[in-house]
Amino acid sequence: MRNLHDHKSALGINTATFGYRSPIEATIDLCASRGVGALTPWASELKGGNIAAVARRIQAANMAVPALCRSEYLTAGNAESREKAVAANCRMLDMAAELGAQSLVMVVGGLAENSRNLEQSRAHALKGLEQLLPHARDVGVNLALEPLHPMTTADRSCLNTISQAVDWCELLDPDGAGGIGIAVDVYHVWWDPALEASIAGAGGRGRILGFHVSDWLQDTRDLVLDRGMMGDGVIDVRGIRGMVEDGGFAGCVDVEIFSAERWWKTSESETLDMCLERLLSMC
Amino acid sequence: MRNLHDHKSALGINTATFGYRSPIEATIDLCASRGVGALTPWASELKGGNIAAVARRIQAANMAVPALCRSEYLTAGNAESREKAVAANCRMLDMAAELGAQSLVMVVGGLAENSRNLEQSRAHALKGLEQLLPHARDVGVNLALEPLHPMTTADRSCLNTISQAVDWCELLDPDGAGGIGIAVDVYHVWWDPALEASIAGAGGRGRILGFHVSDWLQDTRDLVLDRGMMGDGVIDVRGIRGMVEDGGFAGCVDVEIFSAERWWKTSESETLDMCLERLLSMC
């Protein structure tokens, strides 16, 4: 397991952690000023802007771009909407390529509207990924499937465990040609009784493309926007990092904290300083 | 799969559905007046009362008692507290026996206080169950392990999937002598990609002891008290009932709805009527 003090280029920040308050250029400059090694932006921050210029600004600050966040949902109830989502995700892959991002984070969508057929929504998500994979390979951007916590199954993601994500990768890329893998976010997977085994399975197939950190607060009040700073909750973040690194992962440790009431109300520089401190002391 | 119209004795109510507003005697009489087939009370409703009299009242109304809710947590950080919890659960088993309940619902507890060692809390829960099993067998009350939704791992249950519960049953009762099994609650398990396979595994070993229904609301606002009436959310309750019945389960279908803002603010008789209607139309 790496000592992050000796791998500061592995210290990454997902811009969601700041609550989308400043233009991406200001966020880049702030992160660059603290020696952050990697930045993961959101597409909403880039739309309508000069993506090539943003890419140059990040590169000039010696920061990597592990991923672009994130896909459009693939699970709409009607075929036309699903085709539109695939097209939108192709454009998102192009944007990721222009940005120099290694992956596009795939949040696949929850149950279709007015549906109780979870198996069907999962089949639709899988089909959409199958349609996207050739384009992802063409533009050199990986599809990073992110299993989301089971409390998001209805409305955000019907992909909910690492084991399920591994199964999907094997279905879509049985020969291990690549272009598809998994983003492991401790917040979404820490509870899983099969965590260690499924991370080992993913690692054994070279499938781990990203690693996101935050914390589960004991007194969680919101299903989306109440994540904690690493160390403020109950997740053994370092233990899980050990698992993914034992599985061969050598990429960035990206802080991604959705925190409407706490960190999004703290100044961005203070939040960033705390992220860097806790990355080194708690992750 | 049973047609519940022909099995009205299988229509069960967990008293939590009413929000604990009336004395247990009134709840029994209300349910009896509507022909409810089974009642699952909470220990808090019985403490200090005449349990034998409550048991007679339920029996006189021709209602079964599938279970008593519920255990004390088994995952405290220090050994003395864990021993106290085992003793308290032994008394709870005695209470269940006096009530004529078939099972005691085991909610095993979340992470120990100030701990990030989930594996250790799980080991403690397993050890506590091991200590309880002989007494459960002595008094003829089954331990019904209830896997709770992964959003409860920190504070209520580190037992989170049916597959994990099956593993625990096999560890504790490798010969299938009985006295231990699983309560399947659709709210906690509906999201599980391995649901059908793990229910089949549990059924194949005769482990399914209880079946609880409610619904996951698309717009869930609280991690505990925002469950929906069957049919108001996204769970394919009937599909899951088919799985447990294919697995050999022939017991009651028990409604258990924690709903601080909706059903606990509706009159008990109106809530009950809706439960019975939806049991027949949606479950």
Side-chain angles (χ1 to χ4, degrees), chain B:
Chain B
M1 189 171 166
R2 296 174 293 179
N3 182 334
L4 291 180
H5 286 89
D6 304 327
H7 290 81
K8 293 208 173 142
S9 63
L11 304 182
I13 298 287
N14 183 305
T15 62
T17 306
F18 302 123
Y20 320 101
R21 283 174 287 175
S22 296
I24 185 69
E25 290 79 6
T27 303
I28 294 167
D29 295 349
L30 173 66
C31 288
S33 76
R34 299 296 202 285
V36 167
L39 197 68
T40 296
W42 281 64
S44 53
E45 298 174 297
L46 304 176
K47 272 181 184 153
N50 184 334
I51 294 168
V54 169
R56 283 193 300 272
R57 198 178 189 111
I58 297 176
Q59 201 170 25
N62 288 314
M63 290 192 286
V65 184
L68 174 67
C69 278
R70 63 169 172 69
S71 66
E72 309 247 337
Y73 298 154
L74 295 165
T75 52
N78 73 78
E80 193 186 332
S81 299
R82 290 198 300 278
E83 287 304 320
K84 278 187 187 165
V86 168
N89 282 320
C90 279
R91 293 191 296 275
M92 204 83 87
L93 284 164
D94 296 337
M95 184 190 280
E98 190 172 4
L99 188 67
Q102 294 155 24
S103 298
L104 175 65
V105 173
M106 302 301 300
V107 174
V108 301
L111 266 176
E113 59 279 11
N114 303 316
S115 168
R116 294 190 178 89
N117 192 337
L118 187 49
E119 206 168 328
Q120 186 177 62
S121 289
R122 285 172 170 157
H124 286 155
L126 196 57
K127 177 71 187 170
L129 293 168
E130 184 183 20
Q131 292 173 273
L132 285 169
L133 185 52
H135 189 68
R137 286 171 172 161
D138 281 348
V139 299
V141 173
N142 296 306
L143 302 176
L145 312 191
E146 182 165 4
L148 257 58
H149 196 285
M151 68 187 174
T152 72
T153 305
D155 56 352
R156 293 193 291 139
S157 176
C158 58
L159 178 64
N160 302 108
T161 65
I162 294 174
S163 163
Q164 186 190 8
V166 170
D167 288 348
W168 287 18
C169 286
E170 292 304 307
L171 279 169
L172 295 169
D173 176 36
D175 303 326
I180 188 163
I182 302 169
V184 174
D185 185 316
V186 299
Y187 192 81
H188 292 303
V189 304
W190 72 279
W191 58 271
D192 189 347
L195 184 63
E196 190 157 10
S198 56
I199 286 178
R205 291 287 282 164
R207 296 291 190 197
I208 305 176
L209 297 177
F211 182 58
H212 308 165
V213 298
S214 64
D215 213 336
W216 181 280
L217 299 174
Q218 182 71 246
D219 179 28
T220 296
R221 291 168 205 197
D222 187 276
L223 281 75
V224 181
L225 301 180
D226 196 21
R227 295 195 189 190
M229 180 65 65
M230 301 78 70
D232 289 348
V234 300
I235 301 178
D236 177 15
V237 179
R238 186 166 290 170
I240 301 177
R241 182 164 73 84
M243 294 177 200
V244 299
E245 295 191 5
D246 285 349
F249 179 73
C252 298
V253 180
D254 296 320
V255 181
E256 185 181 30
I257 303 176
F258 302 89
S259 167
E261 296 302 318
R262 173 79 197 272
W263 296 106
W264 291 0
K265 289 185 171 169
T266 302
S267 80
E268 290 150 295
S269 63
E270 192 181 326
T271 298
L272 177 56
D273 288 341
M274 185 61 84
C275 287
L276 293 170
E277 183 189 317
R278 296 292 179 85
L279 273 168
L280 293 172
S281 63
M282 300 300 300
C283 299

